Amino acid sequence: MGSNCMGYVLVGFFISICIHQVSPLECYVCIKQENNKDKCVETVKNCEIGQDRCMTEVRWGSTPYWAPSGLKQYYINKTCASREMCEQREHQLVSRCDRIWYNDWECVECCTGDRCNYYVTLAGSTPQPGLPTIILATAVALALIKW
């Protein structure tokens, strides 16, 4: 592999790092939605500086109106958050997050990576690689193949 090609790989690496540092995180946002459709998967926000996580809160509980059957439903909130905000909210809800269908419960999940809070899950979420990371990995793989 020529030194010229290796130079292109390094330049691509540094450009992808710079783009990743300048681009704000994108998260899905919604408030008090009954399901993970419509607003919760269509509304995207560019997060503010310091907001490096996407946070999803899921609540299962009684409907906002009295029903003789005692019906329950989901309430989903999605937003941008800082690491500290996520940790604080997780700590606040740890005792209420039992996910037992006959109880009222609340859980919070935080993740990193653009639009990583698309799905509402019952387990922890895994950080997703951003576009610059994918471009870098592809460039390195192509350079190694040609080498």
Side-chain angles (χ1 to χ4, degrees), residues 1-16:
M1 178 176 178
S3 63
N4 199 17
C5 187
M6 187 59 153
Y8 289 129
V9 170
L10 290 174
V11 168
F13 173 74
F14 289 115
I15 289 173
S16 69

Side-chain angles (χ1 to χ4, degrees), residues 4-94:
N4 199 17
C5 187
M6 187 59 153
Y8 289 129
V9 170
L10 290 174
V11 168
F13 173 74
F14 289 115
I15 289 173
S16 69
I17 288 175
C18 291
I19 290 171
H20 186 66
Q21 296 299 324
V22 175
S23 300
L25 178 68
E26 290 183 348
C27 296
Y28 289 99
V29 294
C30 62
I31 298 172
K32 293 184 181 177
Q33 297 300 301
E34 295 178 15
N35 56 49
N36 194 42
K37 298 178 182 176
D38 304 321
K39 288 183 183 180
C40 285
V41 294
E42 294 173 358
T43 309
V44 177
K45 177 182 177 183
N46 286 328
C47 300
E48 302 294 324
I49 294 173
Q51 294 179 322
D52 57 354
R53 305 278 193 276
C54 297
M55 184 168 69
T56 302
E57 291 186 49
V58 181
R59 185 168 72 84
W60 171 254
S62 302
T63 54
Y65 48 86
W66 183 83
S69 60
L71 293 175
K72 294 182 182 260
Q73 67 186 45
Y74 287 105
Y75 299 90
I76 299 172
N77 295 326
K78 294 182 178 184
T79 189
C80 297
S82 65
R83 180 180 56 84
E84 295 80 16
M85 183 183 205
C86 284
E87 289 173 356
Q88 179 184 28
R89 196 68 180 134
E90 287 170 342
H91 181 71
Q92 289 172 342
L93 296 180
V94 70

Side-chain angles (χ1 to χ4, degrees), residues 76-146:
I76 299 172
N77 295 326
K78 294 182 178 184
T79 189
C80 297
S82 65
R83 180 180 56 84
E84 295 80 16
M85 183 183 205
C86 284
E87 289 173 356
Q88 179 184 28
R89 196 68 180 134
E90 287 170 342
H91 181 71
Q92 289 172 342
L93 296 180
V94 70
S95 64
R96 292 191 37 82
C97 185
D98 61 14
R99 298 185 194 265
I100 299 173
W101 67 270
Y102 55 82
N103 285 340
D104 287 354
W105 54 261
E106 291 180 88
C107 296
V108 65
E109 298 172 353
C110 292
C111 58
T112 57
D114 285 335
R115 302 181 187 199
C116 64
N117 63 339
Y118 180 85
Y119 295 103
V120 174
T121 62
L122 296 178
S125 51
T126 304
Q128 301 294 316
L131 182 60
T133 305
I134 293 169
I135 292 170
L136 172 63
T138 304
V140 170
L142 290 173
L144 291 174
I145 290 172
K146 291 183 180 180

